[in-house]
Structure formats: structure tokens, C-alpha cells
């Protein structure tokens, strides 16, 4: 078959497919139409010829076939045909009952030695049982079918060989059974594929919602760290500048400059965080430029900002901190930023802060201790978003965060990260 032949078959296949879909939809809406149509077709093709030939008187087969079987009156023929064909009306709703009724009439008919074309209904009933019935019912149905075929072969032995008749009849029954099972398996496969597609769609939506919730949490944590820290610095500088305006105007001017620098820094970080959320196609040509996430090298600038707000910060490191993974460095930076922000919000202007970052073989420790109040004011037994955010970040690396009054006075925050596996749980942020 050439390519032109295949291309020419495309519209025909499409029309046939659409026609099949319309027929299946119509069958689901009005199932009795197809059942009635099957009965009508069987009657016209197999029952009506027997009635017409009976009226003609001599039949259309060889003489030995006409003499081998009993000639029935019209009323008896109609009764047997009705018993064979009418049960097909419920062949899909009650396939076992339809097969049993037809088989009973079939055995009765051949017991009296009558042959009818309507016997095809038994094969249709076997096909329907294989397609719509319970599989455990097929064993005894096949046994009944085999017994009926033996009866037919024996009754027809005067006209045809028993073995030839058995071969033909059992082959026809096997074909009906195989066709029903094949269509049943095919429908089960299609149903399984549709169910799998539906489950995959549900799983895809669930993964999408989970990813959205995770990203929303990450962005909220970043926004809290950026806005909370910089606003705390700006508020502290504004209070200090207002106090120094009357006493030392140059210090008030310096505070205003620091407020501007801090605000611009916060605005830049906000643009960077929000910029990565936009799609590349929808971002304007002059959008904000992306910059690397902050790391340990930026903690010095962070401490300088806190010092400008009036606090004294002593910062020291131990170990090879610069060799840490970028995700670990970002986690350390955000934990230190949040701890210093809390100190800035709750401590006095003469508070001294000791910041230490200790890197060991498989352990990183962050200690932030100040000499301010013994505990930050707030509702008892209630954690703020800052402490929760620090614990969430530390948990990405199997770490823990503890906060509370220090032994020598003041407030202490200590975070411990596990560096055994530098790949964080859930991926680096």
C-alpha cells in the first residue's frame, strides 16, 4: 500500500471513528435500541427464511438433509424461534439468564430432531456471556455448549459425519467465545489506560499544588528576612537620627544617608526575589538584574549595617567557611540576619553582640549572643515567624536551632547544621 493510499484513508478512518463514538454514546443513552436491533436482524436473516421455505413446501436443501430432520408446523416453528431469539433482548443485562434460556430451547429443539437457522442465537448468547458475564460462569457454559454440540452432531449423523459436524460446530463456538474474550480484554485495557491517565492527571495537579505551596513558603521566608531586617535597621536609624538632629546635625545627616542606603539595598533584594518569579517571556526588557544569593562574604556588610544602627558587633569565624556550598552559605547568612534583626529590635543601643561561625568536619555551628534583655518581649510560649523561619532553614540540612536566655545574661541563639552530606534535604535554596 502506497503513501497516497494511506493518506486517502485518513478521512475515512476519521469518519468511521467519529461514527463509532456517536454509536457508543447513543448505545449508552438508549441501550434497548441495540438489543432490539440485534433481535430484528437475527429474525430477518435466520428466522424469516425458515418461515418462507416452510410455506413453499419443499425447502432449498438436499433431499437427505430435508429427510434427516423433523418438519415442524408453523406454530411450533414460531414458538421455537421466539424461544431462541427473544432472550437476546437481555443478553447484555443478564447474559447468564439469556444463555440458559436459549440453551434450554436449543436442546429441546434438537431433542425432537428439528433444525432451525435461528440456532445462531446460541452462539450470540455465548459471545455475550464471554463479553458481559462473569468469567467463572464460562466453565459450565462451555460444558453446556459442548454437550449441545454433541447432541446436534449425533442427530445430524444421518446427513453428515459426526466428526465433521463436531469440528464445524465446536470451531464456531470457540470463535464466538474467543471473540467475546478478546473484546472484553481490549475494553479492560482501554479502561485501565483511562484510569491510569486520570490518576496521572490527579498526581500532576497534586505535584503542581505541592510545588506551588513550597515555593510560596520559600518566597515568604525570603521576604520576611529581607523586609524584617532592613526595616528594623531603618527604624533604628530613624530614631537615632531624630534624636541626634538637635545635638549633632551631622550625625542626623549620616543616619539619613544610611537609611537611604539600607532602603536601596532592601529594594534591590526585593526586586531580585520577585524578578525570578516572573516568566522570562513576560518580563519587561529593562527588568531588574539578577545577582547571586548572599553568602558568608556578605556577613561583614551585614554586621556593618547593624553597627551603623548603634550596636557593637564582634564577628569571628573558625574553619574553612569559604569552601561551603552556596546553599549552606545562604542558610547561614539568613540565620545570622534574622538573629541580628531580633537583637536590633529588642536590645538597647549599648548592646554588644558576639557572632561566631564555627566550621568543623561535618558540623557547622552559629552562635549569636547579645548583652541585651534576658528575653525579648512577647507572649509567653509563642514563637515568632523569625525563629520558625530559622528552624525551617536549618532543617533543610538536618540541623537544629535553639534560642533562649544566655548563661551570663542577654539572649542567645545557636544553630547547628549537619555537613555530612552537602546536598540539602529537599534541595538548596
Amino acid at each position: 500500500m502506497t503513501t497516497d493510499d494511506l493518506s486517502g484513508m485518513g478521512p475515512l478512518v476519521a469518519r468511521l471513528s467519529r461514527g463509532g463514538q456517536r454509536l457508543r454514546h447513543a448505545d449508552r443513552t438508549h441501550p434497548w435500541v441495540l438489543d432490539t436491533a440485534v433481535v430484528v436482524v437475527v429474525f430477518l436473516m435466520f428466522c424469516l427464511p425458515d418461515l418462507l421455505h416452510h410455506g413453499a413446501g419443499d425447502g432449498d436443501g438436499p433431499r437427505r438433509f430435508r429427510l434427516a430432520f423433523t418438519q415442524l408446523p408453523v406454530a411450533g416453528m414460531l414458538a421455537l424461534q421466539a424461544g431462541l431469539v427473544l432472550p437476546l433482548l437481555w443478553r447484555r443485562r443478564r447474559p447468564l439468564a439469556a444463555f440458559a434460556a436459549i440453551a434450554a430451547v436449543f436442546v429441546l429443539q434438537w431433542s425432537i430432531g428439528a433444525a432451525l437457522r435461528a440456532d445462531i442465537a446460541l452462539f450470540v448468547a455465548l459471545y455475550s456471556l464471554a463479553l458481559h458475564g462473569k468469567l467463572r460462569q464460562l466453565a459450565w457454559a462451555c460444558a453446556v455448549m459442548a454437550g449441545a454440540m454433541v447432541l446436534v452432531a449425533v442427530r445430524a449423523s444421518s446427513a453428515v459425519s459426526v466428526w465433521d459436524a463436531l469440528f464445524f460446530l465446536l470451531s464456531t463456538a470457540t470463535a464466538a467465545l474467543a471473540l467475546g474474550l478478546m473484546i472484553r480484554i481490549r475494553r479492560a485495557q482501554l479502561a485501565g489506560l483511562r484510569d491510569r491517565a486520570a490518576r496521572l492527571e490527579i498526581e500532576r495537579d497534586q505535584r503542581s499544588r505541592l510545588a506551588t505551596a513550597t515555593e510560596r513558603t520559600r518566597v515568604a521566608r525570603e521576604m520576611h528576612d529581607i523586609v524584617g531586617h532592613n526595616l528594623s535597621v531603618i527604624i533604628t536609624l530613624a530614631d537615632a537620627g531624630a534624636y541626634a538632629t538637635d545635638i549633632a546635625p551631622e550625625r542626623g545627616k549620616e543616619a539619613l544617608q544610611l537609611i537611604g542606603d539600607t532602603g536601596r539595598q532592601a529594594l534591590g533584594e526585593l526586586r531580585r526575589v520577585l524578578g525570578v518569579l516572573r516568566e522570562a517571556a513576560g518580563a519587561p526588557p529593562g527588568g531588574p538584574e539578577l545577582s547571586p544569593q548572599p553568602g558568608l562574604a556578605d556577613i561583614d556588610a551585614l554586621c556593618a549595617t547593624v553597627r551603623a544602627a548603634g550596636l557593637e558587633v564582634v564577628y569571628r569565624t573558625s574553619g574553612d567557611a569559604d569552601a561551603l556550598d552556596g546553599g549552606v552559605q545562604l542558610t547561614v547568612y539568613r540565620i545570622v540576619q534574622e538573629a541580628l534583626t531580633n537583637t536590633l529590635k529588642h536590645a538597647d543601643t549599648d548592646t554588644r553582640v558576639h557572632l561566631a561561625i564555627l566550621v568543623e568536619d561535618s558540623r557547622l555551628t552559629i552562635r549569636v549572643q547579645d548583652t541585651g534583655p534576658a528575653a525579648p518581649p512577647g507572649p509567653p510560649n509563642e514563637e515568632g515567624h523569625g525563629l520558625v523561619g530559622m528552624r525551617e532553614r536549618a532543617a533543610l540540612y538536618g540541623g537544629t536551632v535553639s534560642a533562649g536566655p544566655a548563661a551570663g545574661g542577654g539572649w542567645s541563639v545557636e544553630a547547628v547544621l549537619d555537613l555530612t552530606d552537602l546536598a540539602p534535604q529537599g534541595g538548596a535554596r
Side-chain angles (χ1 to χ4, degrees), residues 10-281:
L12 176 61
V13 173
R15 286 195 296 270
L16 291 175
S17 177
R18 289 193 296 269
Q21 291 177 355
R22 286 194 292 268
L23 286 176
R24 286 192 293 270
H25 176 72
D27 183 48
R28 287 193 296 267
T29 306
H30 305 288
W32 58 270
V33 175
L34 178 60
D35 296 333
T36 305
V38 170
V39 172
V40 172
V41 169
V42 172
F43 175 80
L44 294 176
M45 292 183 62
F46 300 100
C47 298
L48 190 59
D50 281 339
L51 295 174
L52 295 177
H53 294 153
H54 185 276
D58 55 355
D60 62 346
R63 180 177 178 81
R64 59 174 181 167
F65 282 97
R66 296 199 307 271
L67 296 177
F69 304 115
T70 303
Q71 298 297 318
L72 296 173
V74 176
M77 184 181 296
L78 284 173
L80 291 175
Q81 287 178 345
L84 290 170
V85 175
L86 290 181
L88 294 179
L89 287 172
W90 63 83
R91 65 183 183 87
R92 293 190 295 178
R93 290 170 295 170
R94 298 289 186 271
L96 181 61
F99 177 82
I102 295 174
V105 177
F106 183 89
V107 171
L108 173 63
Q109 168 209 325
W110 281 97
S111 298
I112 62 177
L116 296 174
R117 290 182 174 89
D119 291 338
I120 192 68
L122 183 62
F123 299 98
V124 177
L126 180 63
Y127 158 82
S128 300
L129 181 61
L131 179 58
H132 303 289
K134 298 179 180 179
L135 293 179
R136 64 174 179 269
Q137 299 170 348
L138 286 179
W140 78 264
C142 291
V144 171
M145 192 73 179
M149 295 303 100
V150 170
L151 174 62
V152 174
V154 171
R155 297 295 294 185
S157 58
S158 59
V160 66
S161 170
V162 173
W163 299 111
D164 291 343
L166 275 178
F167 176 78
F168 173 78
L169 294 172
L170 292 178
S171 297
T172 306
T174 302
L177 180 65
L179 180 62
L181 290 176
M182 181 187 69
I183 297 178
R184 184 189 188 115
I185 293 172
R186 178 60 177 168
R187 290 182 178 179
Q189 290 175 342
L190 292 177
L193 290 176
R194 285 192 292 268
D195 180 68
R196 183 171 182 270
R199 285 189 285 105
L200 288 176
E201 185 175 358
I202 293 174
E203 292 176 1
R204 181 199 63 191
D205 295 340
Q206 291 176 343
R207 287 195 298 268
S208 177
R209 288 193 294 268
L210 180 61
T212 301
T214 303
E215 186 64 14
R216 184 183 296 113
T217 302
R218 185 190 71 83
V219 172
R221 189 166 55 232
E222 291 286 332
M223 296 286 288
H224 174 271
D225 292 342
I226 294 171
V227 175
H229 170 75
N230 289 285
L231 282 182
S232 297
V233 173
I234 290 174
I235 292 172
T236 304
L237 289 174
D239 292 341
Y243 176 77
T245 299
D246 297 332
I247 301 176
E250 66 279 1
R251 296 299 301 273
K253 181 179 179 180
E254 181 181 354
L256 291 176
Q257 291 176 345
L258 290 174
I259 290 174
D261 294 339
T262 303
R264 281 187 291 272
Q265 178 184 355
L267 184 60
E269 291 189 21
L270 287 176
R271 285 177 175 174
R272 173 177 54 78
V273 172
L274 298 177
V276 298
L277 300 179
R278 301 190 184 100
E279 296 181 358

Side-chain angles (χ1 to χ4, degrees), residues 400-425:
T400 58
V401 174
S402 59
W411 191 260
S412 174
V413 175
E414 180 173 329
V416 179
L417 306 182
D418 184 7
L419 303 181
T420 304
D421 184 3
L422 289 181
Q425 302 171 4

Side-chain angles (χ1 to χ4, degrees), residues 217-393:
T217 302
R218 185 190 71 83
V219 172
R221 189 166 55 232
E222 291 286 332
M223 296 286 288
H224 174 271
D225 292 342
I226 294 171
V227 175
H229 170 75
N230 289 285
L231 282 182
S232 297
V233 173
I234 290 174
I235 292 172
T236 304
L237 289 174
D239 292 341
Y243 176 77
T245 299
D246 297 332
I247 301 176
E250 66 279 1
R251 296 299 301 273
K253 181 179 179 180
E254 181 181 354
L256 291 176
Q257 291 176 345
L258 290 174
I259 290 174
D261 294 339
T262 303
R264 281 187 291 272
Q265 178 184 355
L267 184 60
E269 291 189 21
L270 287 176
R271 285 177 175 174
R272 173 177 54 78
V273 172
L274 298 177
V276 298
L277 300 179
R278 301 190 184 100
E279 296 181 358
E289 296 183 358
L290 303 181
S291 60
Q293 292 275 37
L296 294 183
D298 300 291
I299 292 183
D300 287 326
L302 182 64
C303 294
T305 303
V306 177
R307 292 189 187 101
L311 274 67
E312 182 181 356
V313 181
V314 179
Y315 171 43
R316 67 183 181 91
T317 61
S318 174
D320 190 5
D322 294 332
L324 293 175
D325 176 77
V328 178
Q329 293 197 30
L330 174 61
T331 298
V332 173
Y333 179 89
R334 292 304 187 194
I335 292 176
V336 171
Q337 183 185 48
E338 182 60 34
L340 292 178
T341 300
N342 290 337
T343 299
L344 191 62
K345 288 190 294 184
H346 302 296
D348 300 329
T349 55
D350 58 348
T351 298
R352 182 183 182 91
V353 182
H354 295 272
L355 168 62
I357 299 177
L358 311 177
V359 181
E360 300 173 350
D361 293 337
S362 60
R363 180 186 177 94
L364 185 149
T365 304
I366 306 168
R367 293 194 184 96
V368 181
Q369 182 175 351
D370 60 60
T371 60
N381 300 324
E382 181 177 334
E383 294 183 351
H385 295 291
L387 184 57
V388 173
M390 286 190 287
R391 286 177 174 165
E392 288 178 350
R393 291 184 180 278

